[in-house]
Amino acid sequence: MTERVVGIGAGAKELATEDMILNIGPQHPSTHGVLRLRLTLDGERITTAEPIIGYMHRGAEKLFEVRDYRQIIMLANRHDWLAGFANELGVVIAAERLLGMEPPVRAVWARTLLAELNRVLSHLMFLGSYPLELGAMTPIFYSFNERERIQAVMEEISGGRMHYMFNRVGGLKEDLPLGWLDRVSEAVAETRRRVPVIEDLILHNDIFLARTKGVGVLTREQIMQYGVSGPIARASGVDFDLRRDDPYLAYPELPVKVVTGSAGDCHARFAVLFEQLKVSLELADACVERLRSLPPGPINQRLPKVLKVPEGHTYAWTENPLGINGYYLVSKGDKTPWRLKLRSASYSNIQVLREMLPGHLVADMVAILGSMFFVVGDIDK
């Protein structure tokens, strides 16, 4: 490849068409973090695309090896900063499996409720920010208004707005506040009432349709090759959701509706995310009703001051808002893991860009990139 040097003036000769190298990032505002894309262009059309990652790498997996199981939760909830509670779940589920520990029923249902509320927060962020990247400013104000409503009940129970630190091995940090379930019901009901307003504002907009319909098509074969998961995979017809197909927490007792699409383009990914938001609101209501019917009881297991996980290994995976997160835990019987490997959803979802972007115009690149719903911290870990 040669970089095209453009000269102007009386001595400039007619230039033959050559490839041009264009760097997007590593600080571009449309990349949800510090990501770099190295594009090779033929005119305005992309011929090759190389995602270059690592600018946010913090070595979380290595830090896991020198932290005890309480401290690991603090590290784990930060790689996808939009899904802190969901990130914590994989760590505690893996540790509980090696310990042979069953958390109390109230903790199981409360975890499920908080996971779905956290999913709503993540989805609302992308539903508001994606139109912003295409030039529409209004939707993000609507989505943030709904986020604040759900965020208020999450902050009330945990004390945190992003990094909740509410999970513990064996259950949750503390019991639900008095009247909290009522406030959750009110927040969910009001958000459900307002979601159609956001939907009408975006999904039926002619400019939005023109920028997303038929753009950035991701095939089922590409999904299988790269391990793409979550709403991006389901928008291409991959009917797979761990909450239904390999359930954990209280999901075996919940009617989890898996939303899928068929077009696999930017519009389908956005539409699937909208429908998943509605499903999460329904699941949150079901969890609230179940928690109301449960008798009083403990919210966690009593643990020793120094928690040591028995020797062995296990793999736990969860359906995070952005896709499948996997946690491979290897213990040698110490208070820290010997190894804790994290499989994050965003990593696989972004690698497929090298297959998706070639053939598209540079103007469509931002539309495609925004529809991949990723967090760069979830890539670099």
Side-chain angles (χ1 to χ4, degrees):
M1 298 293 180
T2 58
E3 297 190 19
R4 182 178 182 182
V5 180
V6 179
I8 57 174
K13 298 181 180 180
E14 184 179 352
L15 294 171
T17 301
E18 296 175 357
D19 290 336
M20 179 173 71
I21 307 299
L22 179 66
N23 278 289
I24 305 296
Q27 70 285 335
H28 196 278
S30 294
T31 55
H32 303 278
V34 191
L35 176 72
R36 177 184 169 201
L37 289 177
R38 190 173 187 270
L39 308 179
T40 306
L41 308 179
D42 182 4
E44 288 290 316
R45 200 164 293 278
I46 299 169
T47 56
T48 64
E50 180 186 3
I52 301 174
I53 64 175
Y55 291 94
M56 293 187 68
H57 181 59
R58 291 165 289 179
E61 291 179 346
K62 202 65 183 172
L63 290 173
F64 289 161
E65 299 173 13
V66 291
R67 300 291 192 277
D68 66 35
Y69 288 92
R70 295 179 179 89
Q71 297 168 322
I72 287 172
I73 297 170
M74 181 275 294
L75 289 170
N77 69 20
R78 280 163 164 73
H79 57 88
D80 175 2
W81 47 76
L82 296 178
F85 188 86
N87 297 341
E88 298 169 8
L89 281 174
V91 175
V92 296
I93 290 173
E96 287 164 2
R97 285 182 182 174
L98 280 184
L99 285 162
M101 178 183 294
E102 288 288 337
V105 175
R106 281 174 56 78
V108 171
W109 281 96
R111 279 178 176 178
T112 310
L113 171 58
L114 290 166
E116 290 306 315
L117 292 177
N118 197 189
R119 195 182 310 274
V120 169
L121 287 173
S122 178
H123 288 356
L124 282 170
M125 172 61 82
F126 287 106
L127 292 172
S129 65
Y130 182 45
L132 182 66
E133 292 166 6
L134 300 182
M137 182 177 289
T138 305
I140 198 165
F141 296 113
Y142 283 82
S143 66
F144 260 76
N145 188 55
E146 304 314 307
R147 271 180 58 85
E148 282 301 313
R149 185 174 291 107
I150 302 296
Q151 193 75 69
V153 294
M154 292 291 285
E155 185 176 3
E156 179 186 356
I157 193 172
S158 67
R161 287 183 61 83
M162 290 180 67
H163 308 304
Y164 303 106
M165 272 300 291
F166 200 59
N167 274 293
R168 295 291 186 272
V169 176
L172 294 173
K173 177 185 174 185
E174 54 197 12
D175 209 342
L176 313 180
L178 184 64
W180 183 77
L181 290 176
D182 294 333
R183 291 185 284 278
V184 171
S185 292
E186 293 170 4
V188 168
E190 185 64 16
T191 300
R192 183 186 291 108
R193 188 178 70 83
R194 292 175 178 265
V195 161
V197 178
I198 309 175
E199 192 171 13
D200 291 339
L201 185 66
I202 305 170
L203 279 179
H204 306 301
N205 182 283
D206 290 337
I207 298 175
F208 183 81
L209 291 173
R211 293 294 307 275
T212 57
K213 280 276 189 179
V215 176
V217 175
L218 182 62
T219 66
R220 185 183 180 89
E221 290 70 27
Q222 290 169 332
I223 288 170
M224 297 304 179
Q225 289 170 353
Y226 282 84
V228 177
S229 60
I232 299 172
R234 290 191 281 274
S236 297
V238 178
D239 187 9
F240 183 74
D241 190 313
L242 287 177
R243 294 175 295 172
R244 180 199 65 188
D245 300 318
D246 190 8
Y248 55 99
L249 296 181
Y251 290 116
E253 300 181 48
L254 289 171
V256 179
K257 178 186 175 184
V258 179
V259 180
T260 60
S262 57
D265 57 8
C266 295
H267 187 270
R269 290 190 280 274
F270 192 80
V272 164
L273 203 67
F274 244 123
E275 292 303 314
Q276 283 195 180
L277 171 66
K278 299 173 187 176
V279 170
S280 289
L281 292 173
E282 293 173 3
L283 292 175
D285 271 341
C287 291
V288 168
E289 291 308 309
R290 183 58 184 270
L291 282 166
R292 290 186 197 277
S293 67
L294 290 176
I299 201 74
N300 49 38
Q301 297 277 15
R302 293 182 65 86
L303 298 176
K305 187 173 181 179
V306 178
L307 177 65
K308 294 185 178 181
V309 171
E311 187 172 352
H313 61 93
T314 189
Y315 183 77
W317 56 352
T318 59
E319 187 69 42
N320 268 40
L322 300 181
I324 295 174
N325 270 19
Y327 303 80
Y328 179 58
L329 172 63
V330 182
S331 173
K332 290 193 172 181
D334 297 324
K335 65 178 182 179
T336 62
W338 183 78
R339 184 80 170 92
L340 180 53
K341 175 69 175 71
L342 170 61
R343 187 266 188 211
S344 59
S346 297
Y347 182 84
S348 298
N349 293 357
I350 283 306
Q351 294 308 305
V352 78
L353 284 173
R354 64 178 71 245
E355 298 273 354
M356 291 178 66
L357 288 177
H360 287 86
L361 298 174
V362 176
D364 291 329
M365 184 273 300
V366 173
I368 296 170
L369 196 61
S371 73
M372 296 307 286
F373 311 133
F374 64 93
V375 172
V376 175
D378 201 39
I379 301 171
D380 291 346
K381 300 197 283 290

